[in-house]
Amino acid sequence: MAAAIAHGATATTIEEEFETFLSRHHAQFVSTLQDCYHYYPNEAASFLGGGCSGQAYTVKSALNADEPLRVAKIMQKRYCLSSRSHFNHTCNEIRALLTMDHARLNKAIVVLHSRTALMLILERCDAPIPSFKTRLYEVFARHFPRRIAHVEDEVRKHTEEWEEKKAARRNEFALAAEAVAEAEMIRFQSSSDVEDKSALLAAVEATREAQAKADEEKLRFQETEFFEAKIQLAMHQIWAKAEAPTTCDLFNLIKHHKRIPEAKAAIILKQCLEAVEHLHSRSLVHRDVKTENIVLSETRTSEPIFDNEGSVVGVRFFERIDVKLIDFGLIKRISFKHRADPSDVWSDDDEGEGEEGADDEANCETPGVEPKGEFKLFVSPCGTQPFCPLEVLDALLKRTVGEPCYKSTSTTLPLFDVYGCGILLFCMVSGFAPFNTPRSVAGRTRALRDSVRAGPSFRSSTSEATQRFISKLMSHNTNRKSTRLNS
């Protein structure tokens, strides 16, 4: 581990430490990302978001056409190596992503690096696009329920139209493929060399297979375009708004629905707590649980309800929600208990910078020495301020006047993640954040701290049981919370 190297007998530069770390974790060197993956469908459309540490893009393998879409987090090495704190964060994030083995946590497929950039190829949380029939039922059920009985007829009409178009397209592809194959066969027949003939025949067969595969891919793309155009036309005719996304982060899901029903919010929160609990069982804390770091994929299906005469009178919708916790840029180990390799010690001597997203002060533990019982952690502000508990906001204010930062322990630090889950639940059932953050920079932290201390104000529509549970998760008493789902 980098920290062990840094404290070794031989002095090394941070660049050398980083290269050693990447080699130990089997990172592959490439000249550019495009050697292995390309932006999908293009660089502009593939951009997912970014921050000070890097940008995320949707990418597709350039070497394996059957590999599903991935997410590439691209980080500049000059940023990763600009300070010991950034170096430690990067190493911890890579290690966490490569060792995640839980369905609710995002993980890395491979780590690539070039001379100037680091590329983390991650799993993409994706759900299949609902069928044309399900999407049409959703549109009419939400915006024009009186015409829902006509959905079956619309589906049948458009499906038949597409089948006719698909048959015509396949005939066109077959004619083009036959023309290419005929030209290749003429070359084959004119060849006198037996070995050359064998190679040419193999090339003809390979060309046919590749062309057939490309034609099917093109046909699937055209099918998607055809039904998408029909959906957009139907939405335009009944003045419908945008459809609910099948894959997005929690922030955008709340933005679309305004508020999430408590039953659905409970399903999402349960999976978030499962992710946090798994991290804590591995003696890790995330420290940046927020709506933007929760990615959801919804698999939706529908089933029409018929009356005795066979007419559609309603529709049942079924959905399966899968949640993943992402972005381990601030992850921290709080114990040596789960270290598989004694030499692979996690970095803990973070250099806090006093800004949003900065990490902890130097940890008082000694790398490589097994701590007994709880140990002190000097906590300076980290994460996103509206999701930070009172202890961290107090620490930020104390730091500005030179006072010692809040001291946490290996027991209380994980509770900051639980506090973040409380904020998630409040946002879902209320449709807004529990505390107002002033737009002006001056006095923002103090105003936010005062709002947190006063507690959140719930909507009247929020049930008492939900209010009590949120209050328990967000309590300022550090003995109050547990990630146990039955607590």
Side-chain angles (χ1 to χ4, degrees):
M1 167 52 204
I5 298 173
H7 292 279
T10 303
T12 58
T13 66
I14 194 170
E15 291 82 3
E16 292 172 337
E17 292 181 37
F18 195 51
E19 292 302 320
T20 302
F21 173 84
L22 292 176
S23 175
R24 177 180 295 179
H25 289 82
H26 310 291
Q28 301 176 19
F29 184 84
V30 294
S31 57
T32 63
L33 174 67
Q34 284 70 26
D35 289 351
C36 299
Y37 291 86
H38 58 80
Y39 299 109
Y40 184 85
N42 54 63
E43 185 171 356
S46 67
F47 181 69
L48 300 174
C52 58
S53 61
Q55 293 78 40
Y57 298 87
T58 300
V59 295
K60 187 172 180 62
S61 174
L63 306 176
N64 182 4
D66 296 327
E67 184 177 349
L69 295 178
R70 304 297 189 190
V71 172
K73 180 177 181 181
I74 302 177
M75 310 164 69
Q76 296 302 313
K77 281 188 175 180
R78 64 175 179 272
Y79 174 84
C80 301
L81 305 178
S82 60
S83 70
R84 174 62 62 174
S85 176
H86 292 164
F87 168 80
N88 289 342
H89 290 327
T90 303
C91 292
N92 288 346
E93 180 177 10
I94 292 173
R95 185 182 295 101
L97 286 168
L98 289 174
T99 57
M100 289 305 163
D101 56 356
H102 195 275
R104 303 300 168 211
L105 296 169
N106 198 18
K107 67 179 182 180
I109 305 301
V110 66
V111 177
L112 308 175
H113 69 109
S114 66
R115 189 174 57 84
T116 59
L118 177 69
M119 294 150 278
L120 309 178
I121 307 301
L122 313 172
E123 283 186 327
R124 185 173 186 265
C125 306
D126 208 356
I129 297 176
S131 67
F132 175 66
K133 181 178 178 178
T134 295
R135 294 175 69 189
L136 210 57
Y137 266 125
E138 286 182 334
V139 170
F140 278 85
R142 186 183 298 267
H143 303 286
F144 208 164
R146 287 178 298 173
R147 285 189 56 190
I148 200 166
H150 301 289
V151 171
E152 290 289 331
D153 294 334
E154 290 288 320
V155 171
R156 189 180 304 109
K157 181 181 71 174
H158 294 314
T159 302
E160 290 174 355
E161 182 183 351
W162 169 247
E163 289 300 327
E164 293 177 1
K165 288 181 178 292
K166 183 164 69 172
R169 294 281 196 281
R170 280 206 167 122
N171 287 334
E172 293 173 5
F173 293 152
L175 289 173
E178 191 62 32
V180 172
E182 186 176 347
E184 293 293 336
M185 287 304 296
I186 291 174
R187 288 177 55 200
F188 171 75
Q189 292 170 357
S190 63
S191 175
S192 58
D193 187 350
V194 176
E195 292 185 2
D196 186 49
K197 277 190 174 184
S198 300
L200 190 56
L201 186 60
V204 169
E205 290 302 320
T207 301
R208 280 179 173 173
E209 291 178 5
Q211 188 61 44
K213 194 171 184 179
D215 290 344
E216 285 301 316
E217 182 69 26
K218 189 183 297 183
L219 205 57
R220 283 194 293 269
F221 182 75
Q222 291 176 354
E223 181 179 4
T224 301
E225 282 190 324
F226 174 83
F227 285 110
E228 185 64 34
K230 297 300 180 184
I231 286 287
Q232 297 303 322
L233 177 62
M235 294 175 66
H236 177 73
Q237 289 173 344
I238 62 177
W239 299 90
K241 296 181 180 179
E243 296 177 271
T246 57
T247 303
C248 65
D249 59 38
L250 185 56
F251 177 84
N252 284 303
L253 189 71
I254 296 171
K255 185 178 179 181
H256 177 86
H257 290 292
K258 308 303 181 187
R259 279 186 293 166
I260 297 176
E262 290 188 10
K264 185 174 181 178
I267 295 172
I268 296 172
L269 182 71
K270 181 177 183 294
Q271 296 186 36
C272 293
L273 288 171
E274 287 173 354
V276 169
E277 183 178 39
H278 180 76
L279 285 177
H280 294 176
S281 71
R282 299 281 298 274
S283 300
L284 300 170
V285 286
H286 187 276
R287 300 197 297 175
D288 198 17
V289 176
K290 59 181 179 179
T291 51
E292 291 88 342
N293 286 343
I294 304 295
V295 176
L296 308 95
S297 58
E298 295 185 52
T299 303
R300 298 199 293 267
T301 57
S302 63
E303 179 183 282
I305 302 171
F306 299 93
D307 61 12
N308 295 332
E309 299 177 356
S311 300
V312 178
V313 294
V315 61
R316 295 188 187 94
F317 293 105
F318 306 92
E319 64 179 10
R320 190 190 74 215
I321 303 173
D322 292 304
V323 172
K324 282 187 183 291
L325 178 62
I326 65 171
D327 193 352
F328 302 104
L330 290 176
I331 198 166
K332 188 177 184 67
R333 181 198 50 75
I334 55 174
S335 169
F336 294 96
K337 181 178 179 181
H338 295 280
R339 185 176 74 245
D341 180 1
S343 66
D344 193 20
V345 183
W346 284 60
S347 296
D348 290 301
D349 53 340
D350 304 327
E351 298 170 1
E353 298 174 4
E355 299 175 358
E356 184 174 318
D359 200 10
D360 297 348
E361 291 285 334
N363 194 306
C364 61
E365 61 184 288
T366 303
V369 177
E370 187 78 23
K372 297 181 179 180
E374 294 183 348
F375 54 90
K376 296 294 183 181
L377 297 166
F378 293 93
V379 179
S380 64
C382 65
T384 306
Q385 283 193 20
F387 291 84
C388 289
L390 183 64
E391 297 91 337
V392 175
L393 296 174
D394 275 335
L396 177 57
L397 291 173
K398 288 179 179 179
R399 248 193 108 177
T400 58
V401 294
E403 295 184 17
C405 290
Y406 173 80
K407 289 183 180 180
S408 182
T409 67
S410 56
T411 300
T412 58
L413 187 58
L415 302 181
F416 295 173
D417 287 347
V418 182
Y419 177 90
C421 290
I423 299 283
L424 295 181
L425 182 56
F426 184 98
C427 292
M428 285 190 283
V429 299
S430 301
F432 53 83
F435 310 114
N436 293 324
T437 305
R439 291 185 178 275
S440 61
V441 177
R444 175 188 297 174
T445 305
R446 187 173 300 278
L448 181 60
R449 193 272 310 268
D450 294 341
S451 296
V452 171
R453 184 170 288 167
S457 299
F458 295 96
R459 281 182 178 269
S460 58
S461 58
T462 305
S463 68
E464 292 185 6
T466 302
Q467 292 185 30
R468 287 196 300 271
F469 187 55
I470 293 174
S471 298
K472 182 179 180 181
L473 293 175
M474 297 174 58
S475 170
H476 305 315
N477 176 9
T478 55
N479 297 319
R480 78 289 197 187
K481 299 175 288 192
S482 171
T483 57
R484 299 293 176 188
L485 302 180
N486 59 358
S487 64

